[in-house]
């Protein structure tokens, strides 16, 4: 509301800046020549002052006077009559109309194209002072971060923040937070699964060796843990061992109640590797079953191609490049994976940390560096 | 305050600037008094809106409003308040807004204090100013919007480049912009004169103070930038012939020529067309400087080619304003009435010589700066034009300028007496020769250029003294009379002498520093002693410290001379945590006009630190000289008399040297 008031006032001020001086005024119609003559008269007076003060000699002052007088004569000849300013009602009305209509239209139009009138100011102090239920996510995260910077050994803090990092897409930070939670609070299935999922999200859905290690640790803690078992099955599938995946998932399915929320996902996975599903087949399962191996392959390839294209247009996405290297590798395209690694190295030539990660992944995938 | 208010104010500023361009010039064409009156009120409104917009952005920085992208990218909530404020213009968008603000303030000043200007001239000037306002606000809104929002807002910013977290950022860019943009006023006057095809009597009166003011600010801005680079970069150099520096030097050279030719024009009504051209050149070079620094073309011609939106926009601004004004000049210069006449040997003649040499120097810098860029753009070949080129060309042009400098003020207007001037300068010349001799003896061999430079510097400073002494009649008249005359001299005369002396002092600093500086590069551990230029430094201790947003390692050195301790010096390396970027803070201690300069390098594998220490004799004179030059400008600026040059009347009996036309 306040913003609209300010906008109206400012627009009004801009219009008034045109309308106010357009009022007719007495004294319109003074020749510019008068202004010139005034300057010259002042100059003559100054020459006299200087002569009286002894700064210039009599003959010099006489010469200067002659010069000024010459200039005065020229002005008088040149524009005695023809430079008297006038004013016309037609032009005045036109200018007023332009200001009244043009200014709001132009400024309003441009502002709506560029501005974000629905957003208020967000000074940091006010955001930090807001009650927790009103604070935005970034501020909540910042508060926990500030707290963790001051108390780097508070394991509970890491556990609180890790899922939030996952939700706002900061997967690297989530993985680091889970690692810290594991370091400080000990390893358990929930934390290891969290770490595994964060790593998985970071690599764009590929179960990396690190992620697999996390899920294995989770399973070691709780052999029946469904999440770890599901992702270990996925790891087997991605490694090209559908049989092993099928057996892991079938065993999991046997332990899973029919109304478990992850049941449809599990069934879809089973259908993908061609194992019988025990539960009622969902529509997506059917769809996946109908899809031939070739089609599935083509679909995956399409996705990878799109990723590759996006990176070619805008290469400033390290995680994207890492995902692409993995994806080509999983699809058995070692050459393309190596090519992606090379491009990524060029892109991040100035960033040693990024180069380190690219090289590490290349080694892990056996691409040679 | 809501950032959207600033955004809308900027949009309105563009709307107002468009009207300011159209209405007053239309009024001047049709001789319509009411339309011409709109100019000043629109210039004030433009200033108000841009100032509001700028204030809103500063507020966003101070309050760390991270919903504004520009704040996120260049600020940090832990930064000290001063750097949160200066950070506003420590980035592309903010600095362009500052540019627009300075432009708006100057426009408003013309509107407020231009009551005695002829109405048509004022209308045209404000119209031209308005068109510059249109170009820069449109550039801001369309390519460099400082009010772009990010929603949801991050909770912390990326911090400002640590090199810029310095008091220098608070002073240098505003001074430089006051200089650059100050020339927009003289430009507007020049174009207004061309549009109308006539130069009013008031024209020169107005152009001179604006040119002087802009020149003074630019002088200070360049000196400040040079000192900032000197202490912040840690290399001990004060001028690198870097394109960014050259970008500010070119308008300075053209502006120096302009203030001199404006004097001729004001006092003698001559050199009109040339003054108009110089006014156009000075601002064109300012625009070019802005283009070089702001388009990214310097960082890499290729980076410029891949994201050319900004660069192409500025290039269009350049083409329209420079091309447009020069075309107008070509079409209209002929219709400007020629002014007074003068003999080649005269004050005017000396100023013409100064003008020619200064413009040639500006051209040399221009070629050296742009040729590598052009070559890379055309052939892809990368070359660097380095100090040798600039020292040779600019040096060769500046030497005669400085040598001729003391003669100019001693020549009379219209027709001068060179022999008489030389006679009066004889004492200064002899003393300069003596200084050169002493320098040569003290140096005992070495490059011949050093004693010549020292002698020249002394000659210039003493020449300025002689000028004032001659005018006051010191030595010829009784002391009381001479003193009264000295005080009664126009402040412009004092200003000119002061500025000329400043050049000499600056030259002295440059010659002394480049010829006699000494450097010690050493790996030192705590307790190590090493000599630097007559002093002994001991690395007393190394201590880590923590600042608000950085950590630093401070080296404390004890200084001794001949066994006696003369104080300590602290030099540090800072690591700014947000960007993980290091900076060096050189330790500087001033002895008289000379400085001891210590900067810390990397840690060495065997323990200890690499340390660079310099002894820089008379180095501060470089900047003191520049400050004196600017002070001369202030003196001259405060001289609000009308200033008519009293010509020396031609003697009837002796045929004078044949006068030549001014243009």
């Amino acid at each position: 509301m306040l913003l609209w008031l300010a906008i109206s006032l400012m627009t009004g001020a801009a219009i008034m800046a045109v309308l106010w001086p357009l009022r007719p005024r007495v004294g319109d119609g003074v020749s510019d020549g008068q202004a010139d003559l005034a300057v010259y008269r002042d100059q003559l007076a100054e020459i006299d002052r200087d002569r009286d003060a002894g700064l210039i000699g009599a003959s010099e002052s006489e010469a200067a006077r002659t010069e000024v007088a010459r200039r005065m004569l020229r002005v008088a000849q040149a524009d005695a009559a023809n430079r008297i300013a006038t004013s016309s009602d037609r032009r005045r009305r036109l200018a007023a109309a332009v200001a009244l209509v043009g200014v709001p239209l132009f400024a309003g139009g441009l502002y709506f194209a560029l501005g974000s009138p629905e957003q208020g100011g967000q000074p940091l102090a006010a955001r930090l002072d807001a009650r927790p239920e009103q604070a935005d996510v970034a501020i909540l995260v910042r508060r926990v971060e500030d707290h963790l910077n001051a108390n780097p050994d508070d394991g509970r803090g890491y556990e609180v923040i890790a899922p939030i990092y996952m939700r706002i897409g900061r997967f690297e930070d989530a993985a680091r937070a889970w690692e810290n939670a594991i370091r400080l609070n000990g390893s358990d299935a929930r934390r290891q699964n969290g770490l595994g999922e964060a790593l998985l999200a970071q690599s764009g859905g590929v179960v990396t060796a690190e992620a697999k290690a996390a899920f294995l640790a989770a399973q070691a803690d709780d052999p029946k843990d469904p999440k770890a078992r599901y992702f270990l099955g996925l790891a087997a599938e991605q490694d090209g061992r559908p049989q092993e995946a099928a057996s892991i998932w079938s065993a999991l399915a046997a332990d899973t109640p029919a109304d478990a929320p992850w049941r449809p996902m599990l069934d879809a996975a089973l259908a993908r590797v061609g194992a019988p599903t025990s539960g009622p087949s969902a529509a997506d399962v059917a769809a996946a079953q109908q899809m031939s191996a070739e089609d599935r392959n083509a679909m995956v390839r399409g996705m990878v191609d799109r990723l590759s294209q996006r990176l070619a247009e805008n290469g400033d996405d390290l995680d994207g490049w890492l995902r692409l290297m993995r994806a080509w590798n999983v699809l058995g395209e070692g050459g393309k994976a190596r090519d992606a690694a090379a491009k990524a190295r060029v892109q991040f030539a100035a960033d040693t940390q990024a180069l380190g990660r690219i090289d590490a992944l290349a080694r892990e995938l056996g691409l040679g560096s | 305050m809501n950032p959207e208010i600033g955004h809308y104010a900027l949009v309105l500023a563009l709307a107002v600037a468009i009207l300011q361009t159209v209405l007053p010039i239309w009024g001047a064409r049709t001789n319509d008094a009411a339309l011409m009156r709109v100019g000043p009120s629109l210039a004030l409104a433009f200033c108000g809106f841009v100032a509001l917009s700028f204030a809103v952005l500063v507020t966003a920085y101070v309050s760390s409003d991270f919903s504004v992208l520009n704040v996120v990218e260049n600020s940090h909530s832990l930064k000290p308040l001063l750097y949160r404020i200066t950070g506003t213009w420590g980035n592309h968008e903010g600095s362009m807004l500052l540019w627009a603000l300075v432009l708006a303030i100057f426009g408003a000043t013309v509107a407020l204090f231009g009551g005695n200007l002829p109405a048509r001239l004022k209308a045209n000037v404000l119209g031209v100013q308005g068109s510059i306002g249109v170009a820069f606000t449109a550039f801001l809104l369309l390519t460099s919007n400082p009010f772009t929002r990010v929603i949801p807002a991050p909770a912390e910013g990326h911090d400002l480049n640590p090199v810029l977290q310095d008091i220098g950022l608070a002073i240098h860019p505003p001074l430089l912009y006051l200089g650059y943009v100050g020339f927009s006023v003289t430009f507007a006057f020049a174009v207004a004169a061309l549009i109308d095809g006539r130069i009013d009597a008031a024209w020169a009166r107005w152009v001179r103070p604006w040119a002087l003011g802009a020149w003074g600010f630019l002088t200070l801005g360049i000196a400040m930038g040079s000192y900032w680079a000197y202490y912040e970069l840690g290399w001990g150099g004060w001028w690198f012939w870097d394109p960014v520096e050259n970008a500010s030097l070119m308008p300075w050279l053209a502006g120096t020529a302009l203030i001199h030719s404006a004097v001729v024009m004001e006092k003698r009504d001559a050199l009109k067309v040339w003054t108009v051209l110089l006014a156009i050149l000075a601002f064109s070079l300012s625009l070019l400087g802005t283009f070089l620094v702001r388009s990214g073309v310097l960082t890499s011609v290729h980076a410029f080619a891949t994201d050319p939106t900004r660069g192409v926009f500025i290039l269009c601004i350049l083409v329209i304003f420079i091309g447009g004004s020069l075309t107008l000049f070509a079409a209209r210069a002929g219709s400007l009435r020629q002014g007074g006449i003068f003999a080649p040997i005269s004050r005017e003649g000396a100023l013409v010589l100064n003008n020619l040499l200064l413009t040639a120097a500006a051209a040399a810098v221009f070629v050296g700066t742009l040729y590598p860029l052009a070559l890379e753009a055309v052939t892809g070949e990368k070359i660097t034009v380095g100090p040798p080129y600039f020292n040779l060309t600019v040096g060769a042009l500046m030497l005669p300028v400085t040598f001729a400098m003391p003669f100019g003020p001693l020549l009379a207007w219209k027709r001068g007496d060179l022999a008489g001037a030389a006679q009066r300068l004889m004492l200064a010349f002899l003393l300069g020769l003596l200084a050169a001799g002493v320098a040569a003896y003290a140096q005992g061999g070495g490059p011949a250029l050093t004693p010549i430079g020292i002698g020249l510097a002394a000659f210039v400073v003493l020449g300025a003294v002689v000028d004032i002494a001659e005018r006051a009649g010191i030595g010829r008249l009784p002391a009381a009379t001479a003193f009264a005359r000295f005080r009664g001299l126009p402040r412009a005369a004092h200003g000119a002498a002061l500025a000329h002396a400043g050049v000499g002092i600056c030259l002295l600093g440059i010659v002394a520093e480049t010829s006699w500086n000494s450097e010690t590069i050493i790996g030192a551990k705590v307790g190590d002693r090493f000599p630097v230029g007559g002093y002994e430094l001991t690395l007393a201790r190394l201590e880590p410290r923590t600042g608000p947003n950085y950590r630093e390692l401070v080296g404390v050195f004890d200084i001794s001379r001949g066994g006696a301790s003369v104080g300590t010096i602290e030099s540090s390396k800072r690591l700014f945590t947000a960007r993980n970027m290091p900076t060096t803070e050189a330790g500087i201690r001033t002895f008289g006009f000379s400085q001891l300069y210590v900067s810390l390098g990397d840690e060495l594998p065997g323990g200890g630190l690499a340390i660079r220490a310099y002894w820089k004799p008379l180095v501060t004179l470089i900047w003191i000289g520049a400050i004196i030059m600017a002070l001369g400008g202030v003196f001259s600026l405060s001289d609000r008399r009308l200033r008519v040059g009293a010509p020396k009347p031609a003697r009837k009996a002796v045929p004078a040297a044949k006068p030549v036309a001014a243009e």
Side-chain angles (χ1 to χ4, degrees), chain A:
Chain A
M1 226 28 239
L2 205 61
L3 176 68
W4 295 114
L5 184 67
I7 284 181
S8 324
L9 283 177
M10 284 193 277
T11 316
I15 294 171
M16 279 318 288
V18 178
L19 296 190
W20 187 254
L22 281 180
R23 290 167 305 133
R25 206 183 286 178
V26 264
D28 280 2
V30 180
S31 160
D32 274 3
Q34 299 300 319
D36 278 357
L37 287 177
V39 171
Y40 293 141
R41 269 194 294 272
D42 287 351
Q43 286 184 335
L44 285 179
E46 185 192 306
I47 293 169
D48 290 345
R49 254 200 323 275
D50 276 5
R51 190 197 51 206
D52 295 345
L55 285 171
I56 49 175
S59 63
E60 276 136 342
S61 87
E62 214 32 61
R65 285 185 70 92
T66 316
E67 279 230 9
V68 176
R70 256 187 235 136
R71 295 181 203 171
M72 287 176 94
L73 272 178
R74 258 192 323 254
V75 173
Q77 286 161 2
D79 42 31
N82 56 2
R83 287 171 60 87
I84 294 180
T86 54
S87 146
S88 109
D89 283 347
R90 194 183 56 81
R91 283 193 292 262
R92 267 219 302 269
R93 261 184 239 121
L94 192 57
V98 167
L100 276 168
V101 183
V103 169
L105 272 187
F106 177 85
L110 189 58
Y111 176 69
F112 276 109
L114 297 174
S116 331
E118 69 287 353
Q119 302 295 346
Q122 301 187 13
L124 186 64
R127 289 167 72 199
L128 286 174
D129 287 346
R131 287 198 304 277
E133 61 272 22
Q134 287 176 338
D136 51 287
V137 180
I139 286 299
L140 291 176
V141 170
R142 185 194 157 109
R143 279 197 193 139
V144 180
E145 281 172 342
D146 287 348
H147 168 78
L148 286 174
N149 279 336
N151 311 286
D153 288 337
D154 179 4
R156 216 178 58 84
Y158 292 111
E159 286 197 31
V160 169
I161 202 167
I164 303 177
Y165 278 144
M166 279 303 277
R167 210 172 320 137
I168 60 178
R170 289 167 63 177
F171 303 129
E172 266 189 78
D173 291 322
R176 211 173 313 129
W178 281 123
E179 278 167 4
N180 278 320
I182 292 165
R183 175 173 64 83
L184 295 164
N185 294 358
S187 163
D188 73 2
R190 196 174 57 84
R191 294 176 195 131
Q192 292 289 3
N193 277 335
L195 175 61
E197 277 181 293
L199 293 168
L200 192 74
Q202 216 180 317
S203 65
V206 176
V207 187
T208 61
E210 282 168 300
K212 192 175 170 184
F215 291 125
L216 282 171
Q219 203 185 24
D221 179 59
D222 176 6
K224 290 279 173 209
D225 184 82
K227 209 180 242 179
R229 288 161 78 190
Y230 171 77
F231 283 117
L232 286 171
L234 191 64
E237 186 199 11
Q238 285 177 355
D239 287 350
R241 297 190 302 275
Q243 301 302 323
E244 189 186 329
S247 78
I248 294 175
W249 282 335
S250 299
L252 175 59
D255 295 345
T256 302
D259 58 349
W262 62 88
R263 184 85 215 190
M265 196 169 73
L266 179 61
D267 288 342
L270 279 168
R272 216 163 51 227
V273 291
T277 57
S278 45
S281 58
D284 51 331
V285 180
Q289 264 174 331
Q290 276 161 11
M291 211 178 241
S292 69
E294 266 172 6
D295 285 348
R296 270 204 304 275
N297 215 358
M299 191 181 81
V300 175
R301 266 179 182 279
M303 285 161 64
V304 178
D305 277 334
R306 273 196 298 281
L307 176 62
S308 159
Q309 220 162 20
R310 182 170 66 77
L311 290 172
E313 280 157 18
N314 175 18
D316 191 22
D317 173 11
L318 179 60
D319 290 332
W321 284 108
L322 297 177
R323 215 181 311 149
L324 185 65
M325 286 164 61
R326 277 185 198 284
W328 283 128
N329 194 50
V330 168
L331 289 172
E333 300 267 15
K336 287 189 175 174
R338 255 189 292 280
D339 186 42
K343 280 182 188 154
R345 282 196 194 99
V346 173
Q347 176 75 31
F348 293 94
D351 183 346
T352 48
Q353 208 187 344
L355 283 178
R357 287 186 54 191
I358 295 166
D359 290 340
L361 181 63
R363 267 195 304 281
E364 180 191 322
L365 300 178
L367 298 174
S369 52

Side-chain angles (χ1 to χ4, degrees), chain A residues 17 46 67 86 111 120 142, chain B residues 4 33 41 149 156 268 642:
Chain A
E46 185 192 306
E67 279 230 9
T86 54
Y111 176 69
R142 185 194 157 109
Chain B
E4 294 302 314
S41 80
R149 308 292 296 272
E156 190 50 273
R268 296 281 302 124
L642 292 152

Side-chain angles (χ1 to χ4, degrees), chain B residues 183 211 215 250-260 278 282:
Chain B
F183 287 125
W215 175 85
M250 288 188 277
W252 186 84
L253 288 168
T256 312
L258 174 64
I259 55 179
H260 288 96
L278 276 180

Side-chain angles (χ1 to χ4, degrees), chain B residues 305-546:
Chain B
T306 45
D307 182 18
T309 347
R310 279 178 185 167
V312 167
F313 203 112
I314 307 188
L315 209 55
C316 287
I317 296 180
L318 279 186
V319 169
I320 291 171
F321 281 97
I322 303 180
S325 57
L326 288 179
T327 311
L328 198 60
F329 179 80
R332 284 299 181 86
S335 69
L336 296 177
R337 210 174 27 77
Q338 306 283 323
I341 50 176
F342 55 83
I345 302 288
S346 62
R347 183 92 63 91
E348 293 97 318
L351 288 165
V352 168
L353 176 71
N354 139 311
N355 272 221
L356 289 178
L357 290 171
L358 285 172
T359 6
V365 178
F366 182 87
V367 170
T369 311
L370 290 195
Y371 176 66
L373 292 177
L375 190 71
E376 193 187 344
V378 175
T379 66
E381 189 185 345
K382 259 181 144 57
I383 61 160
T384 8
V385 173
Y389 164 82
F390 291 107
N391 289 342
L392 191 68
T393 52
V394 179
L397 287 162
M398 294 315 276
L399 272 183
V401 171
T402 29
F403 183 73
M405 203 159 64
F407 290 91
L410 290 172
L411 293 173
W413 291 106
K414 208 160 178 181
R415 46 189 82 73
D417 175 8
L418 189 59
Q423 202 179 2
R424 278 174 285 174
L425 279 172
M426 193 46 86
L427 182 65
F429 186 76
L430 289 177
L431 287 173
L433 222 50
L434 184 67
V438 171
Y441 177 76
Q443 178 176 258
L449 221 48
T450 308
I452 294 178
I454 300 279
L456 187 58
F459 174 57
V460 166
V461 176
L462 293 168
V465 175
V466 166
D467 172 31
I468 286 295
E470 275 293 325
R471 281 164 195 257
I474 295 168
R476 279 188 288 118
L477 300 169
T481 323
F483 183 67
R485 281 182 59 128
F486 173 79
R487 294 198 29 188
L489 281 180
R491 269 173 293 185
H494 284 298
L498 212 53
H500 285 184
V503 174
I505 290 169
C506 182
L507 179 66
L508 184 61
I510 292 174
V511 174
E513 199 279 333
T514 32
S515 317
W516 296 327
N517 83 62
S518 65
E519 177 188 45
T520 307
I521 300 178
I522 196 172
K525 291 181 189 149
V526 173
D528 283 358
R529 275 171 93 80
F530 50 93
V532 186
Y535 290 85
E536 291 235 303
L537 285 181
T538 313
L539 177 52
R541 56 186 190 279
L542 284 170
E543 49 187 53
R545 289 180 200 165
T546 310

